Amino acid sequence: MARILIVGGGYVGMYTALRLQRNLKEELRQGSARITVVDPEPYMTYQPFLPEAAAGSISPRHVVVPLRRVLPQCQVVIGEVTALDHDARTATVETLATEAAGAADTEIAYDELILAPGSVSRTLPIPGLADHGIGFKTVEEAIGLRNHVLEQLDIASSTRDPAVRDAALTFVFVGGGYAGVEALAELEDMARYAVRYYHNVEATDLKWILVEATGKILPEVGPEMGRYAVRELRARNIDVRLDTRLDSCEDRIAVLSDGSRFPTRTLVWTAGVKPHPVLAATGLPLNGRGRLKCTAALQVDGVDHAWAAGDAAAIPDLT
């Protein structure tokens, strides 16, 4: 039997499994091949739709794809790879049963390995960030952020304390990439619509601040579109702070590198990602940023029967 192990059920992992499931249909039916997909969640999250889900523009169920439904010919294991011995072709997987029933970690043997664990949020040792920062990487965080923003409107509407009201109506987003800009823009639009149902909160009472450490936002779309986005955001009374860093957010006060201080109950952290930490436990070659060194053919450099793509892989750009 040809045993194929796919670590990660995200965009890369799920579509790899879909293609293999289709191309190896006969082998899977005969039992001469097996595809195993390991992921901590039973679904793939389409992250570009998270801002729309946070704003309520689309339903959360339209952001996720159940793995077992689309991969009926694959074995889906809900768990996390904690160690990998590629020489022995075995992976150690911590499943839900490990904690619930006190069972031992599962050992999965394989012949071909596909690593696509993706990335995790990159945080910095900023005082107060671990206590008050809100992530924006999963559908749960997106829905939680929407509920949090609406809760702040309720707090502002019901309090008599101007300091509490001001903090509740101040929303700080750190990171000017796709996630930060889209999340801020979608939620600002949602909140502006929602305040019409509050008798004592106006859209002009809300304060939205985008903090970006570099001199531009949305670097992926080029400088011209980045400047256009800044103009559009500022036209909506969104305070865009370029070349500015978050120095502290202790006591629910966002302190910026330009000296500004904003009492806020909402600080959203979208300042980049880093490769999944499971890569450090694989023993496979990594580059200086912790990504797997790969060839242009998506093979792990110098390693047979190991492949990678996505945020976890460093693929040379031949162009």
Side-chain angles (χ1 to χ4, degrees), residues 292-316:
L292 289 160
K293 292 181 180 179
C294 296
T295 68
L298 308 185
Q299 182 175 7
V300 178
D301 197 13
V303 181
D304 293 330
H305 308 290
W307 313 83
D311 289 345
I315 311 295

Side-chain angles (χ1 to χ4, degrees), residues 173-177 181 210-219 240-246 270-271:
F173 286 69
V174 182
V181 172
L210 177 64
V211 180
E212 168 55 39
T214 67
K216 58 185 177 181
I217 66 172
L218 299 174
V240 181
R241 304 284 180 112
L242 302 178
D243 295 311
T244 307
R245 301 180 311 277
L246 176 70
T270 61

Side-chain angles (χ1 to χ4, degrees), residues 114-271:
I114 300 165
L115 283 165
S119 58
V120 297
S121 295
R122 175 175 60 88
T123 58
L124 300 175
I126 296 174
L129 180 61
D131 298 322
H132 305 300
I134 301 172
F136 198 75
K137 185 74 173 163
T138 67
V139 66
E140 292 86 357
E141 289 177 329
I143 302 308
L145 180 58
R146 179 184 68 188
N147 294 338
H148 173 83
V149 170
L150 293 175
E151 183 181 73
Q152 302 316 301
L153 300 183
D154 289 328
I155 291 173
S157 176
S158 57
T159 184
R160 294 172 179 264
D161 188 329
V164 173
R165 176 185 169 91
D166 183 57
L169 296 180
T170 300
F171 306 92
V172 179
F173 286 69
V174 182
Y178 275 129
V181 172
E182 288 194 83
L184 183 151
E186 287 281 354
L187 287 166
E188 188 272 341
D189 189 60
M190 178 204 73
R192 184 157 31 88
Y193 178 86
V195 295
R196 68 179 65 183
Y197 300 105
Y198 292 81
H199 70 283
N200 58 351
V201 180
E202 301 290 337
T204 53
D205 297 333
L206 277 62
K207 185 184 300 181
W208 298 84
I209 303 158
L210 177 64
V211 180
E212 168 55 39
T214 67
K216 58 185 177 181
I217 66 172
L218 299 174
E220 301 89 349
V221 301
E224 183 177 348
M225 284 297 295
R227 290 191 293 268
Y228 170 79
V230 170
R231 291 196 301 270
E232 288 295 308
L233 291 174
R234 287 174 173 165
R236 289 165 58 173
N237 293 322
I238 295 172
D239 186 355
V240 181
R241 304 284 180 112
L242 302 178
D243 295 311
T244 307
R245 301 180 311 277
L246 176 70
D247 285 345
S248 170
C249 56
E250 289 183 304
D251 302 323
R252 293 189 181 275
I253 298 176
V255 180
L256 307 184
S257 60
D258 61 4
S260 303
R261 296 167 61 89
F262 296 100
T264 178
R265 296 177 55 86
T266 307
L267 189 139
V268 183
W269 180 264
T270 61

